[in-house]
Amino acid sequence: MSTSDSPTPDTRSNFIYDIIEEDLEAGTYGDRVVTRFPPEPNGYLHIGHAKSIVLNFGIKHDYADRADTQCHLRFDDTNPETESPEYVDSIKEAVRWLGYDWEEHEYYASDYFEQFYEYAVKLIKQGDAYVDSLDEEEIREYRGTVEEPGTPSPYRDRSVEENLALFRKMKAGEFEDGAHVLRAKIDMSSPHMIMRDPLLFRIKHAHHYRQGDDWCIYPMYDYAHPLEDAIEDITHSLCTLEFDNNRRVYDWVMEHCLDEDELPSRPRQYEFNRLNLGYTVMSKTKLRHLIEEDLVGGWDDPRLPTISGLRRRGVPPRAIRSFCRDVGVTRSQSRVQIGHFEHALRDDLNPKAPRVMAVLDPLKVTVTNWGEDEIDWIDANHWPRDIDKDETRPVPFTRTFYIERDDFREDPPDDFFRLAPGREVRLRHAYFFTCEDVIRDDDGTVTELRGTIDPDTRGATAPDGRSPEGTLHWVSASQGVPFEARLYDRLFEVPDPDARDKHFTEFLNPDSLNVRQGILEPAVRDLAADQRVQFERQGYFWPDPEDSTPDALIYNQIVPLRDTWGEEEDGLTQEELERRRREKEKRKQRQRKRSLEGKTDPAEYLDDDQRDRFDYFRDALDLSRNDAAVIAGDNALADFFDAAREHYDAPSALANWTVNELLGALKDGRTVEDLPFGPDAFATLVRLVDTDEITTRGADAVFDVLLEDGGAPEAIVDAHDLRQVDDTDALRSTVHSVLDDHPDEVARYRDGKKSLIGFFMGQVMDATNGAANPEVARELLQDELDE
RNA sequence: UGCCCAGUAGCUCAAUCGGCAGAGCGUCCGGCUCUGGACCGGGAGGCUGGUGGUUCGAAUCCACCCUGGGCAACCA
């Protein structure tokens, strides 16, 4: 099944698709879109990886008709100590099973070792890398802490020649593990820990599963990964949020290793939120722990979120794909409810799984008005009427059969409409049955039910039109097939087992596996061995691929049916929702209190000189405390502000623009010195808007041009025709045409949706290229609309 | 007490670079039904983390604060 046949493009768009869209439009990479899935072969894949696979390979499919797309499968095998070919194979199988094809694009980071080495030599020659001979402990100490800057290594200033010689010897195997490392020479006092001279290569005399003993120096992730991407001409390198900090090194490596002309189309890294599923654990080490301690059956235990576990459980790959698309790709951390996953499963299985009957907890029933050896073979549809299929199978009805123990109650509550003494129910596909006798053993446990069927109700409909409330599934005692059912529940009892005080295994759910000896209708023998079926009223199942045999059938429960009777498993009852709402409200109030308490005086962080300036701004210029502090706190900005005042003496207007617009434009690390315009142009702009010659909106447009190309504000105003329109008659006609063009909105506005005024304002402003005097326009609109 | 990221419906996410706060799931009610499933129709649910500011207009821009997460491995 292809992946491009489900969700429509708009439902799967996300910020990464937006970026790709922009790059395609700008031609950053020509018409190429190349992604990659880069697992380290040191463990098995889980559903979290599936999200990444679906994202990366999904892009390949989704843009196939508009771009030259490709998705590489790359094994990031740069650490010989943990990696093995066993994992390579399992990863390849998992990706294939999920429905994706990397074609000829199977790569290994270890194949690039020579190139990593060459790039390192280049860095050394440029003076951008050095061999450090501190030991591990010392390196850590020299690095400093998050609060204190690091100190440079005494080996930091070795000559290029010395570094080169040392590095060659490292490669040649002349040193012990840990004797030296190669480091990037960046900035030991950087506020970003990652930039304090990150390690590039370390010595490891270890056997690599692919390279054997050819190498004894191995590259670090932060160095190797960008180069891998560059070597493969990746365009969009997608990884999870925790690599956000690493992006700085990623960019540094690109900029220092690549040639100038390669930079415009170099790979870029983008981070998205990893998948967090509730009631399970996802980390490799925790999964390994569960297996090594025999707390689960193995990597493919159906309770595990591993790909192999899900596969064995019977989860169809298509359901995983649609789930991964549903959960969304954003930059905000989140935990997805398990119910969401189950919904995706049912949604996929519902139209694909033929219905059969199975009893998992049998209670014997005898029909007293039915012959001992009489068998009625009923032709029963495999599909409910709302599914457009109609294969049938023969179902044998006999004197004794089994029903689910749960489906009988001696003292039924009002809302229980299954079987009870004296009550008539429908036996699915067969007859109406009335319970007349209840047989118990010495303990009082019900062992058998006796009763009669109405022979006129064959096919489970009555000629007189009566219809029992309950319908029960059942299986013939003599013709049914005994089998084992394995029911799975969440592995842990809490949504966040790995984020608590106690060890995560303390929260294991003792009932996560529930084995039942049940009985199955005989027709299942005619189904394909890997056929997923629905056991009516219970859930979706399939035969366990490892343990089930034709003589001893074993079925795994893939997912139970949604059950609206009885307790809510997810605890999402009305009360729970109400409780959560209240909790959220309380949380907000607490936050409000704290945020108010935490407020500081904006002038608090000023030094003495800045303080003087602040006082002047506030007292002589009458600026607000906040604006005065913000401007005074940035010397260059304050100089700019003062210079602007020379050209237009309106301190408060200038301050507003300086703080609210100028500062916003400087967010990307630029300073006022980098701007393509000076204080005079800035002052002119502020004057134009302050004297109502242009509108705020027009000023924004001018400011954008200024930021981009510089120039004279007045010339820009003329060029773009931005002079403010105050003429009431001219505006009135614009207002009229806007209202005429949007009769529906007008009706809704008059119907009470007053917030549409913003919509109309927007239309008027658009129609006038932002030049309409907003106050006049608003008044006119209001007049027309409220008449 | 550094740097980075994120806070929108119970949950997952939207909101065309300042102009109508929406969708799916969940929930509740109704319909249909030989599955307490599926399906169909409808409803409820929001001070867009907070306070100020800029603006005709702020979820979006500015400042400060609050909350959560990440970063100080010779792992990736």
Side-chain angles (χ1 to χ4, degrees):
Chain A
M1 188 120 1
S2 98
T3 49
S4 47
D5 57 353
S6 49
T8 50
D10 48 334
T11 63
R12 66 175 165 240
S13 93
N14 55 52
F15 79 99
I16 289 174
Y17 277 61
D18 291 345
I19 290 166
I20 293 174
E21 212 77 49
E22 281 166 24
D23 283 333
L24 241 25
E25 218 157 284
T28 317
Y29 306 101
D31 67 343
R32 291 185 314 117
V33 177
V34 185
T35 53
R36 101 267 95 107
F37 174 62
E40 184 187 13
N42 70 347
Y44 289 86
L45 261 33
H46 53 67
I47 189 152
H49 296 108
K51 174 171 174 177
S52 175
I53 292 169
V54 170
L55 209 215
N56 281 293
F57 280 94
I59 287 169
K60 168 186 163 178
H61 290 290
D62 293 340
Y63 283 96
D65 54 345
R66 302 177 39 197
D68 180 10
T69 62
Q70 208 49 254
C71 182
H72 297 182
L73 175 61
R74 177 170 73 224
F75 292 95
D76 203 1
D77 51 1
T78 55
N79 185 357
E81 282 162 351
T82 55
E83 297 154 2
S84 86
E86 174 201 353
Y87 294 121
V88 170
D89 292 338
S90 85
I91 289 169
K92 280 157 75 170
E93 198 182 338
V95 175
R96 230 179 268 123
W97 178 76
L98 277 170
Y100 296 108
D101 182 3
W102 54 91
E103 298 167 37
E104 72 272 28
H105 301 283
E106 178 176 325
Y107 303 109
Y108 295 82
S110 55
D111 288 344
Y112 310 144
F113 281 171
E114 191 65 45
Q115 292 166 80
F116 295 156
Y117 178 78
E118 292 302 331
Y119 277 119
V121 169
K122 178 180 177 181
L123 287 176
I124 292 172
K125 286 180 178 165
Q126 289 169 184
D128 288 322
Y130 63 97
V131 172
D132 196 357
S133 308
L134 256 26
D135 68 28
E136 203 173 333
E137 184 64 25
E138 291 167 327
I139 287 177
R140 237 195 304 277
E141 281 168 19
Y142 276 78
R143 188 150 34 216
T145 68
V146 289
E147 284 155 34
E148 294 157 23
T151 44
S153 162
Y155 305 100
R156 195 171 196 261
D157 292 316
R158 287 213 254 235
S159 69
V160 169
E161 292 69 32
E162 192 184 356
N163 280 322
L164 237 29
L166 244 21
F167 187 48
R168 288 198 180 111
K169 285 182 185 169
M170 280 170 64
K171 187 198 179 200
E174 295 184 21
F175 303 116
E176 296 290 299
D177 285 9
H180 308 280
V181 292
L182 186 74
R183 289 235 244 173
K185 192 190 275 191
I186 306 182
D187 180 4
M188 285 306 289
S189 60
S190 171
H192 307 283
M193 295 297 297
I194 194 101
M195 296 297 268
R196 319 247 257 230
D197 289 9
L199 274 60
L200 269 25
F201 271 96
R202 76 281 211 188
I203 300 171
K204 247 185 219 284
H205 291 272
H207 184 84
H208 189 278
Y209 76 103
R210 278 175 62 86
Q211 303 300 330
D213 299 315
D214 289 355
W215 292 86
C216 62
I217 54 171
Y218 290 93
M220 303 293 294
Y221 169 86
D222 278 321
Y223 172 66
H225 206 87
L227 291 177
E228 292 159 23
D229 286 342
I231 290 165
E232 292 175 19
D233 274 329
I234 299 297
T235 58
H236 303 264
S237 180
L238 314 178
C239 60
T240 44
L241 247 23
E242 67 269 25
F243 289 94
D244 186 299
N245 284 295
N246 302 66
R247 190 180 60 246
R248 282 161 212 285
V249 187
Y250 186 96
D251 290 341
W252 186 93
V253 170
M254 290 288 174
E255 277 152 22
H256 291 79
C257 288
L258 264 38
D259 293 336
E260 198 70 28
D261 61 327
E262 296 176 293
L263 288 177
S265 63
R266 72 168 175 88
R268 300 247 168 212
Q269 173 180 306
Y270 303 96
E271 309 86 30
F272 64 93
N273 58 341
R274 69 159 63 234
L275 174 64
N276 281 310
L277 257 190
Y279 298 94
T280 189
V281 291
M282 218 92 98
S283 87
K284 277 176 194 167
T285 52
K286 293 205 169 73
L287 289 170
R288 186 172 294 123
H289 182 86
L290 291 173
I291 287 144
E292 283 169 359
E293 299 295 313
D294 282 329
L295 297 167
V296 295
W299 285 102
D300 65 350
D301 189 299
R303 290 168 293 179
L304 256 24
T306 52
I307 301 292
S308 51
L310 295 169
R311 179 179 183 175
R312 179 165 175 189
R313 179 158 173 173
V315 173
R318 192 191 149 88
I320 295 180
R321 292 198 301 264
S322 83
F323 170 68
C324 288
R325 284 168 181 270
D326 280 353
V327 294
V329 174
T330 68
R331 288 186 62 88
S332 57
Q333 37 184 81
S334 56
R335 183 179 298 281
V336 178
Q337 289 177 358
I338 200 84
H340 210 306
F341 182 57
E342 295 184 346
H343 177 265
L345 261 41
R346 294 187 192 109
D347 205 42
D348 183 68
L349 260 3
N350 178 40
K352 293 196 311 205
R355 273 54 169 178
V356 295
M357 295 193 287
V359 175
L360 304 183
D361 186 11
L363 174 62
K364 185 177 169 186
V365 180
T366 302
V367 186
T368 52
N369 61 342
W370 192 271
E372 193 70 50
D373 299 317
E374 189 183 344
I375 303 181
D376 182 6
W377 289 89
I378 298 166
D379 208 29
N381 205 315
H382 263 314
W383 305 95
R385 79 193 174 291
D386 53 295
I387 288 172
D388 194 23
K389 298 178 179 172
D390 63 356
E391 297 118 304
T392 62
R393 83 286 187 183
V395 178
F397 187 79
T398 53
R399 179 179 162 89
T400 55
F401 59 86
Y402 294 103
I403 64 165
E404 215 65 58
R405 189 165 282 277
D406 277 354
D407 283 341
F408 174 76
R409 290 270 187 102
E410 285 204 83
D411 287 312
D414 284 347
D415 56 349
F416 182 87
F417 40 91
R418 284 120 82 159
L419 196 59
R423 194 186 278 190
E424 182 178 60
V425 293
R426 187 190 332 254
L427 296 173
R428 179 94 167 136
H429 300 300
Y431 297 88
F432 291 2
F433 173 82
T434 305
C435 174
E436 284 152 3
D437 277 315
V438 180
I439 319 270
R440 290 185 195 73
D441 65 10
D442 298 342
D443 303 334
T445 314
V446 176
T447 55
E448 184 185 342
L449 266 22
R450 289 172 160 264
T452 53
I453 57 105
D454 176 352
D456 291 336
T457 56
R458 186 175 192 274
T461 48
D464 62 7
R466 74 179 193 276
S467 182
E469 267 192 311
T471 299
L472 268 44
H473 61 275
W474 54 276
V475 173
S476 160
S478 56
Q479 302 296 309
V481 182
F483 82 113
E484 177 177 311
R486 295 177 179 170
L487 311 183
Y488 304 107
D489 199 354
R490 55 193 55 157
L491 230 199
F492 292 89
E493 289 173 312
V494 297
D496 52 351
D498 46 3
R500 299 205 171 213
D501 295 342
K502 290 198 276 183
H503 191 64
F504 75 102
T505 51
E506 303 273 316
F507 302 105
L508 277 167
N509 175 8
D511 301 319
S512 59
L513 172 63
N514 193 339
V515 178
R516 303 275 184 79
Q517 302 305 321
I519 186 155
L520 196 49
E521 66 169 85
V524 290
R525 292 211 153 109
D526 301 327
L527 296 172
D530 62 348
Q531 177 69 53
R532 295 172 176 89
V533 297
Q534 185 196 99
F535 290 169
E536 292 216 43
R537 304 211 301 135
Q538 314 211 73
Y540 296 94
F541 288 77
W542 89 327
D544 185 274
E546 297 295 322
D547 298 343
S548 186
T549 66
D551 297 328
L553 293 172
I554 298 175
Y555 274 76
N556 290 330
Q557 181 187 59
I558 303 166
V559 62
L561 246 38
R562 190 164 158 260
D563 185 6
T564 55
W565 191 79
E567 305 91 332
E568 284 302 318
E569 285 217 340
D570 283 343
L572 280 176
T573 56
Q574 281 297 88
E575 298 81 61
E576 172 68 9
L577 285 172
E578 195 46 48
R579 196 185 62 78
R580 281 201 199 190
R581 241 170 249 144
R582 277 198 307 271
E583 208 171 71
K584 189 165 183 165
E585 185 54 37
K586 259 195 269 175
R587 210 162 47 227
K588 266 195 188 177
Q589 280 186 5
R590 264 200 306 273
Q591 255 198 54
R592 175 208 212 91
K593 192 157 166 274
R594 270 187 224 166
S595 92
L596 249 29
E597 284 168 356
K599 273 218 161 193
T600 53
D601 180 357
E604 194 176 309
Y605 306 112
L606 302 179
D607 64 32
D608 288 347
D609 288 347
Q610 293 173 334
R611 187 87 204 181
D612 289 344
R613 231 167 173 178
F614 165 78
D615 288 338
Y616 176 75
F617 287 162
R618 216 165 56 89
D619 300 336
L621 265 32
D622 205 28
L623 300 188
S624 75
R625 197 174 175 82
N626 189 62
D627 286 0
V630 171
I631 298 173
D634 180 335
N635 296 338
L637 193 68
D639 290 344
F640 192 90
F641 171 70
D642 279 338
R645 282 196 301 120
E646 305 280 317
H647 295 89
Y648 181 57
D649 187 27
S652 86
L654 276 171
N656 275 344
W657 268 79
T658 304
V659 170
N660 293 302
E661 306 294 331
L662 192 53
L663 215 50
L666 296 175
K667 271 290 150 79
D668 53 359
R670 281 202 291 183
T671 65
V672 282
E673 282 91 0
D674 305 328
L675 294 172
F677 60 89
D680 51 337
F682 184 68
T684 305
L685 172 61
V686 174
R687 178 173 57 75
L688 287 173
V689 61
D690 197 37
T691 55
D692 288 335
E693 287 183 58
I694 55 176
T695 64
T696 313
R697 189 157 145 154
D700 279 340
V702 175
F703 192 54
D704 283 346
V705 176
L706 229 39
L707 239 23
E708 196 64 33
D709 310 314
E714 280 168 307
I716 299 168
V717 168
D718 290 336
H720 294 78
D721 200 18
L722 292 170
R723 238 164 252 286
Q724 177 164 304
V725 178
D726 297 314
D727 178 47
T728 310
D729 292 333
L731 287 179
R732 194 185 302 278
S733 87
T734 307
V735 165
H736 278 144
S737 72
V738 163
L739 295 183
D740 288 348
D741 287 348
H742 301 280
D744 292 353
E745 281 80 6
V746 171
R748 280 166 57 212
Y749 179 91
R750 290 188 173 138
D751 208 37
K753 189 146 178 73
K754 300 289 183 209
S755 59
L756 277 167
I757 191 74
F759 167 77
F760 292 121
M761 277 297 290
Q763 293 296 316
V764 171
M765 295 311 276
D766 283 348
T768 58
N769 197 19
N773 178 329
E775 279 143 47
V776 176
R778 182 174 279 260
E779 254 170 57
L780 287 171
L781 271 171
Q782 220 108 45
D783 278 356
E784 297 290 333
L785 285 163
D786 292 338
E787 73 186 7

